[in-house]
Amino acid sequence: MRFRYLLLCLAIITGCTGNSDKNRLEEERVSLQGAMLPDTTETLHLTGEQLAQAYCRTCHAFPEPELLDKATWQHGVLPQMALRLGINKTGNNIYMDKTLEEITALLQAGIFPDIPLIAERDFDKIEAYYLLNAPEQLPLPASPDLQPELGGFSVVTPDLNKGKYALTTLVKYEPATQTLWVGDLRNWIFKLNKQLQVIDSVQVESAPVDLIQDKGAYKVLSIGVMDPSEQRKGKLVQFYDSKKGKVPETLLEGLQRPVAMVMADLDEDKLQDIIVCNYGNNMGQLVWYQNIGQGKYRSNILKDLPGARKAEVVDLDRDGRQDLVVLFAQGTETIKVFYNKGRGKFEEKNLVQFPPVYGLSYFELADFNKDGFPDLLVSNGDNADHSPVLKPYHGIRIFLNDGKNKFSEAYFYPMPGASKVLARDFDQDGDLDIAAISFFPDFKRAPEKGFVYLQQEKSFTFTASTFSQSQLGHWLTMEAGDYDQDGDEDIILGSFIYTPAPPAVQEKWKKEGPGLVVLQNQKVKKGEKIATLKVK
């Protein structure tokens, strides 16, 4: 019973169970008051691998020892696992750099238990299992041929924020109004016309990360705190494009590091609801804000879990109701679907799941094999946490849908640090191409892979290329849209230079790096002329 109690504790503190399990936990806790933790009397027969399987699988896919090198397991990942189990071998103050708000939230959530949830001897078994079976070093990622020039595109560098450090946090093209919006860490949002000239601007309280045009109004999501944090300082504000000297109106506040949003009528009442991905850090939530009219919203938590990165609205089961496909990172590394059952009820299912070190970073739904069912285009490459080493399994993947929403991997392109992918028919030949950026590229061996364009020549055969100026930026954001309105999809890249990188690279970004680069697509329909755009 004690062993079951500990596994239940672990599930609850990481948000994998519901209120009924929490009630059961309290009942078992009371019955076990004064009892010792499970020790050799109950777990003597379990090996380190068996213990690891039991504890790790409770909340995420099992990470094989071969996924990381020995030093990274020993000094990076295992100490963090120990803290989650109430074991602090280093004795360091884990709340040292936290605000009072964050400390309170972490304590209330039990993220780092103040009593051990596992016997130290059992944790030592787990540690020994990983250190014995992990390699001394990981194999280097494969480096496929990459053409140095980007055929079919011209490179345009606008004057926006020229002479200032590149701190772009948002690029968003709104096809309804045919305008490009660019936001940065200075808390400004700029509206650009098709000549890439600034024609309007709005200031918000923190860095803007998403924007949606909604019936003459613009809804802007601001993150609150860029660095990993539990603070609830994010906001959703609204302003009207027609008003000069506009002051954004607050719609939602107290958001926990929100990074993305979508709008949909989930409850079929003809009012647009808002779904917000509160990425957070150790804590976070996927929240459906139900539109109850007159600019008011009611909060409904769909998943009490950190790492919600992106949501797409789609009727995946074809029952006439809008479902949500959502990516969760931060150790969960899962793309989930929330099937809409009507009346505010949802059924959650996993579509694809990776071990935590895979660094799931982005996805798009797109039909790659033209069978009428949406497939998954996925990037793995988040590499900022406790295992920042080059990983041969980071890159771009295509998962094909069998028509019953079961997905299997059909394509992989190795790309260290891959952070975002877009699927579009850029060359207008009838199949989907891929644009991808990496926020954590291999700076030593392949720094040019900060941006890669994969042009599909035939079924699942791609030619990879980049552009010569790709190393001048550190691409955090990317958007596709026909900003110049010539009939093809262009690519817009936003650079954000603040992150760990070799000093020489940082200096180059600071001196030469643009905040925004546009890859202007030269593929227009037959008989049309290409409009030449000159930007100083």
Side-chain angles (χ1 to χ4, degrees):
M1 182 173 70
R2 298 186 189 113
F3 189 45
R4 183 179 70 249
Y5 166 71
L6 292 185
L7 291 181
L8 187 58
C9 281
L10 183 58
I12 287 172
I13 65 170
T14 49
C16 299
T17 58
N19 288 330
S20 61
D21 288 313
K22 292 181 180 180
N23 294 335
R24 183 156 53 92
L25 172 68
E26 178 61 17
E27 292 173 2
E28 292 198 14
R29 185 192 67 78
V30 172
S31 69
L32 288 171
Q33 280 185 337
M36 294 180 63
L37 287 168
D39 211 330
T40 52
T41 54
E42 293 188 25
T43 60
L44 180 63
H45 65 289
L46 296 178
T47 65
E49 180 178 8
Q50 289 171 326
L51 287 164
Q53 292 272 3
Y55 278 90
C56 296
R57 284 187 184 276
T58 306
C59 295
H60 51 67
F62 179 70
E64 298 287 350
E66 295 80 7
L67 291 177
L68 291 174
D69 63 274
K70 194 168 298 186
T72 302
W73 278 118
Q74 185 173 12
H75 303 295
V77 175
L78 288 170
Q80 286 298 312
M81 180 182 176
L83 290 174
R84 296 292 184 124
L85 295 174
I87 298 174
N88 188 349
K89 289 193 171 187
T90 65
N92 294 334
N93 183 355
I94 58 178
Y95 302 108
M96 179 81 67
D97 300 321
K98 308 293 184 186
T99 65
L100 180 59
E101 174 191 350
E102 292 177 282
I103 294 170
T104 302
L106 289 168
L107 288 172
Q108 288 177 344
I111 299 298
F112 303 111
D114 55 2
I115 58 171
L117 303 181
I118 182 174
E120 193 160 338
R121 268 177 281 190
D122 285 343
F123 184 81
D124 289 343
K125 284 185 183 181
I126 294 174
E127 185 175 47
Y129 162 69
Y130 278 100
L131 298 183
L132 178 65
N133 292 282
E136 291 295 333
Q137 61 183 22
L138 292 179
L140 289 172
S143 188
D145 290 339
L146 184 68
Q147 296 180 9
E149 295 299 329
L150 193 62
F153 293 84
S154 61
V155 181
V156 179
T157 305
D159 277 341
L160 179 65
N161 285 331
K162 187 175 182 179
K164 298 179 180 179
Y165 287 169
L167 300 174
T168 307
T169 58
L170 167 71
V171 288
K172 187 68 177 282
Y173 179 71
E174 273 296 329
T177 55
Q178 297 181 324
T179 51
L180 176 64
W181 293 87
V182 180
D184 61 29
L185 192 61
R186 301 175 184 91
N187 306 342
W188 281 96
I189 309 170
F190 301 96
K191 180 181 180 182
L192 279 62
N193 61 17
K194 66 178 183 178
Q195 287 78 36
L196 298 177
Q197 299 165 336
V198 175
I199 56 176
D200 203 354
S201 61
V202 181
Q203 190 170 28
V204 290
E205 291 185 22
S206 64
V209 290
D210 205 355
L211 177 146
I212 294 177
Q213 190 270 343
D214 179 33
K215 297 179 181 178
Y218 287 93
K219 291 179 169 60
V220 178
L221 195 64
S222 54
I223 196 168
V225 181
M226 280 290 290
D227 293 332
S229 171
E230 318 302 336
Q231 296 181 64
R232 295 179 174 272
K233 293 187 176 182
K235 281 190 175 184
L236 176 62
V237 300
Q238 176 176 277
F239 65 88
Y240 290 87
D241 196 23
S242 59
K243 294 182 180 179
K244 299 297 182 181
K246 56 188 78 69
V247 176
E249 166 197 3
T250 299
L251 296 180
L252 301 171
E253 56 187 345
L255 307 181
Q256 195 165 12
R257 274 184 93 216
V259 294
M261 62 179 171
V262 289
M263 296 185 66
D265 182 9
L266 294 182
D267 54 359
E268 300 176 291
D269 64 353
K270 302 189 185 305
L271 296 174
Q272 289 290 297
D273 309 306
I274 304 173
I275 302 92
V276 177
C277 294
N278 287 290
Y279 191 93
N281 183 28
N282 293 294
M283 299 181 298
Q285 294 172 335
L286 175 69
V287 185
W288 160 43
Y289 290 95
Q290 183 181 13
N291 190 338
I292 57 177
Q294 299 182 332
K296 303 296 183 182
Y297 296 87
R298 180 184 296 121
S299 172
N300 302 275
I301 297 175
L302 278 172
K303 191 68 176 176
D304 195 4
L305 193 69
R309 170 66 182 90
K310 185 199 176 185
E312 283 201 32
V313 179
V314 60
D315 183 8
L316 199 63
D317 57 4
R318 305 191 176 200
D319 67 350
R321 288 186 288 264
Q322 296 295 296
D323 309 311
L324 294 173
V325 178
V326 186
L327 182 156
F328 286 88
Q330 289 299 86
T332 303
E333 313 308 318
T334 305
I335 296 176
K336 297 175 178 286
V337 58
F338 294 83
Y339 288 117
N340 190 342
K341 297 302 180 181
R343 298 184 178 182
K345 303 296 183 182
F346 294 84
E347 180 185 357
E348 174 190 335
K349 298 284 186 182
N350 286 354
L351 298 180
V352 295
Q353 185 174 24
F354 302 90
V357 293
Y358 267 66
L360 188 57
S361 54
Y362 205 78
F363 82 96
E364 282 207 334
L365 290 169
D367 186 3
F368 274 88
N369 57 1
K370 304 177 185 178
D371 65 352
F373 297 98
D375 306 310
L376 284 168
L377 174 65
V378 173
S379 61
N380 300 91
D382 185 0
N383 216 25
D385 295 319
H386 307 291
S387 60
V389 293
L390 290 174
K391 300 178 174 71
Y393 42 83
H394 276 182
I396 300 163
R397 291 175 165 83
I398 297 173
F399 290 86
L400 294 182
N401 188 338
D402 68 353
K404 299 178 181 178
N405 299 328
K406 303 293 184 184
F407 294 83
S408 58
E409 185 175 326
Y411 176 78
F412 172 67
Y413 178 82
M415 186 177 180
S419 51
K420 187 169 182 176
V421 282
L422 299 174
R424 304 288 190 277
D425 184 9
F426 290 107
D427 58 4
Q428 297 184 352
D429 66 349
D431 55 27
L432 290 172
D433 311 302
I434 299 170
I437 53 175
S438 169
F439 201 63
F440 304 96
D442 183 349
F443 288 112
K444 185 176 181 180
R445 294 195 313 146
E448 68 279 1
K449 275 196 174 181
F451 171 84
V452 172
Y453 172 59
L454 297 173
Q455 184 176 11
Q456 189 168 190
E457 304 295 348
K458 56 183 180 179
S459 183
F460 297 99
T461 300
F462 296 84
T463 298
S465 58
T466 186
F467 62 104
S468 56
Q469 302 99 317
S470 65
Q471 298 179 52
L472 291 181
H474 190 218
W475 312 119
L476 174 66
T477 55
M478 176 175 61
E479 174 72 304
D482 185 14
Y483 86 93
D484 54 3
Q485 301 166 39
D486 68 349
D488 51 33
E489 294 272 315
D490 309 296
I491 302 171
I492 305 102
L493 303 175
S495 178
F496 188 92
I497 66 170
Y498 285 152
T499 191
V505 174
Q506 281 275 8
E507 283 304 309
K508 191 170 187 177
W509 289 338
K510 290 179 179 179
K511 290 179 180 179
E512 306 176 43
L516 191 71
V517 164
V518 175
L519 304 177
Q520 187 187 56
N521 198 337
Q522 302 297 298
K523 184 69 177 181
V524 296
K525 296 177 181 178
K526 187 176 180 180
E528 293 183 352
K529 294 182 179 180
I530 297 174
T532 302
L533 178 62
K534 295 181 180 179
V535 179
K536 295 181 180 179

